[in-house]
Amino acid sequence: MELRVPAYEPAASPRARPAPRSAPVGPVRRVRRVLVVACVLALTPALLSYAVTMLSPSDSSLSIRSVEWLRDHGAAGLVTKVESIYYTLTAPAKGGPQLHALPRVGVASTGAAGASTTAPVVERPAPVQPLGGPPLAGEGVWRATQVGASASDPPLLVTTFRSDPSEYPRLVAGVAWINTSRTTVSLYAGRLEPSVELPYRGSMQAPLPLRHRLLATFNSGFKLADAHGGWALDGHTYAPMREGQATFVRYADGRYDVAAWQGGPSVGANVVFARQNLPLIVSGGLPNPNLGDGPAWGATLGNAIRVWRSGIGIDPRGNLIYAAAPDQTVQSLADVLIHAGAVRAMELDINSYWVSFNSYGRPGGEEPAKLLGETERPATRYLSPDDRDFFAVYLR
């Protein structure tokens, strides 16, 4: 039987399909593409700027740096509006339960009972009287910040008291009294503030060679772009002084003042530092009568929003008083400073992220402690480079 093998027949090649024709680009799609390209090109510089800012050295959190970047790039009004809404919604309610104890500050009481019976009392403030009701334990009692500090002539004292026990019984103000005859206060530039050209920004922290005398550090004022005021150091004016604006100043002869500036756009050689921030909030021992004028208090939340606030004042003897408290208006901050003994005072920075007063229990910046524990930044702030300018207090 003969087997037949079927002849191989090559498969027919598939018929080539014509390449699909691209649809003509209509005018709407063409405009859309142009707009997309234009948006990308327009946003590229902003995105690069944001990326550079976020990658640059900083001690601030990513969220804070993002907000600050928005402020600096045309969105200050929007940011302030959002913050105002947030703080209005989270404002404390009046009334509520009373506090039973105050946060402990300092290391040792220096009240009259703690003074030496042999050493004369050279300089020490009277206790701060409670604003209402029976005092809590330690309320208004001044305490030293370092072990072994002189009871008769202390360089630095701190205390706490309820700032408004009748309407806001749970709000606590922290106050520091700085004896200017025993201390030296210095102003230091930060990494980003003041936002002016400086020949040398220094260490941007409390200098290591001086820390054996370091008693405390505390925040400065608003960013210069918001304060619209002057900044001067060692007789040189780096941001022009503004006539009539509140100014914290140290003179070469050792005097300090918190006053409305009347010295022209530049400081003299006798000025060690001068830092301005908005108008005075206390003058002649009384609140500024214009505290209700919102536009006078800059673009950062104005005067009536309850927020963390801080301030610096001077008492009748030329000593300094620093105060900070949560949920304060400009008026209530002025009241706190007056009650603590200030005859003239100015607002410093606001918001819990920027308000800092840290004392050091031992020389060398050892045993750092916050004046009020609710502030966000650590007690070690200013012991490493910081973005903002700040003050340091040293034992003479």
Side-chain angles (χ1 to χ4, degrees), residues 214 216-217 355-360 365-373 375-384:
L214 183 63
T217 50
V355 174
S356 293
F357 186 102
N358 303 319
S359 59
Y360 307 95
E366 299 295 327
E367 299 182 11
K370 298 181 184 182
L371 177 60
L372 291 173
T375 49
E376 289 187 44
R377 307 299 285 277
T380 54
R381 186 185 182 189
Y382 306 128
L383 298 182
S384 59

Side-chain angles (χ1 to χ4, degrees), residues 155-213:
L156 175 67
L157 299 174
V158 292
T159 190
T160 56
F161 60 89
R162 290 166 293 171
S163 61
D164 189 355
S166 59
E167 293 194 348
Y168 297 95
R170 304 188 70 81
L171 297 186
V172 175
V175 180
W177 175 85
I178 302 168
N179 184 345
T180 54
S181 68
R182 296 286 318 282
T183 62
T184 298
V185 180
S186 296
L187 171 63
Y188 293 103
R191 185 185 287 110
L192 303 177
E193 287 293 321
S195 53
V196 293
E197 289 294 329
L198 297 178
Y200 178 59
R201 287 194 173 260
S203 61
M204 300 168 289
Q205 60 182 305
L208 288 169
L210 301 179
R211 289 190 188 178
H212 65 288
R213 297 190 290 112

Side-chain angles (χ1 to χ4, degrees), residues 87 301 305-309 325-329 350-352:
Y87 286 117
L301 299 179
I305 298 294
R306 287 193 169 271
V307 65
W308 270 93
R309 295 184 189 267
D327 295 313
Q328 301 295 311
T329 64
I350 65 175
N351 292 321
S352 62

Side-chain angles (χ1 to χ4, degrees), residues 31-45:
V31 170
R32 187 182 303 162
R33 288 181 182 180
V34 170
L35 289 176
V36 168
V37 172
C39 289
V40 170
L41 292 176
L43 290 174
T44 296

Side-chain angles (χ1 to χ4, degrees), residues 63-352:
S63 60
I64 291 295
R65 281 183 287 158
S66 296
V67 170
E68 294 299 296
W69 184 87
L70 287 171
R71 283 190 185 279
D72 294 338
H73 290 80
L78 174 62
V79 171
T80 299
K81 183 65 175 178
V82 171
E83 286 182 333
S84 298
I85 294 172
Y86 170 78
Y87 286 117
T88 299
L89 293 175
T90 58
K94 291 185 178 181
Q98 293 284 338
L99 288 175
H100 299 290
L102 292 172
R104 183 180 177 86
V105 294
V107 296
S109 172
T110 59
S116 168
T117 57
T118 58
V121 175
V122 178
E123 192 80 60
R124 189 176 62 228
V128 180
Q129 296 301 311
L131 285 166
L136 298 177
E139 187 167 16
V141 176
W142 293 106
R143 299 176 67 87
T145 58
Q146 285 194 348
V147 175
S150 169
S152 61
D153 194 16
L156 175 67
L157 299 174
V158 292
T159 190
T160 56
F161 60 89
R162 290 166 293 171
S163 61
D164 189 355
S166 59
E167 293 194 348
Y168 297 95
R170 304 188 70 81
L171 297 186
V172 175
V175 180
W177 175 85
I178 302 168
N179 184 345
T180 54
S181 68
R182 296 286 318 282
T183 62
T184 298
V185 180
S186 296
L187 171 63
Y188 293 103
R191 185 185 287 110
L192 303 177
E193 287 293 321
S195 53
V196 293
E197 289 294 329
L198 297 178
Y200 178 59
R201 287 194 173 260
S203 61
M204 300 168 289
Q205 60 182 305
L208 288 169
L210 301 179
R211 289 190 188 178
H212 65 288
R213 297 190 290 112
L214 183 63
L215 294 174
T217 50
F218 60 93
N219 60 279
S220 182
F222 289 6
K223 296 168 64 176
L224 292 187
D226 297 322
H228 303 294
W231 200 97
L233 188 64
D234 296 330
H236 298 282
T237 305
Y238 295 102
M241 306 297 290
R242 186 174 178 182
E243 202 77 3
Q245 195 166 47
T247 309
F248 179 25
V249 58
R250 171 187 163 191
Y251 294 98
D253 62 6
R255 292 181 300 116
Y256 296 84
D257 205 355
V258 177
W261 182 257
Q262 302 296 331
S266 298
V267 303
N270 65 327
V271 171
V272 177
F273 69 69
R275 178 56 155 97
Q276 295 192 309
N277 199 54
L278 309 181
L280 285 175
I281 63 174
V282 176
S283 183
L286 298 172
N288 183 333
N290 297 320
L291 292 181
D293 181 12
W297 307 103
T300 58
L301 299 179
N303 62 328
I305 298 294
R306 287 193 169 271
V307 65
W308 270 93
R309 295 184 189 267
S310 63
I312 188 75
I314 195 162
D315 72 10
R317 294 187 177 183
N319 299 306
L320 298 170
I321 298 173
Y322 174 96
D327 295 313
Q328 301 295 311
T329 64
V330 175
Q331 175 70 59
S332 65
L333 175 65
D335 293 340
V336 166
L337 284 157
I338 292 170
H339 192 66
V343 293
R344 292 185 300 281
M346 59 188 279
E347 186 174 47
L348 293 178
D349 219 336
I350 65 175
N351 292 321
S352 62

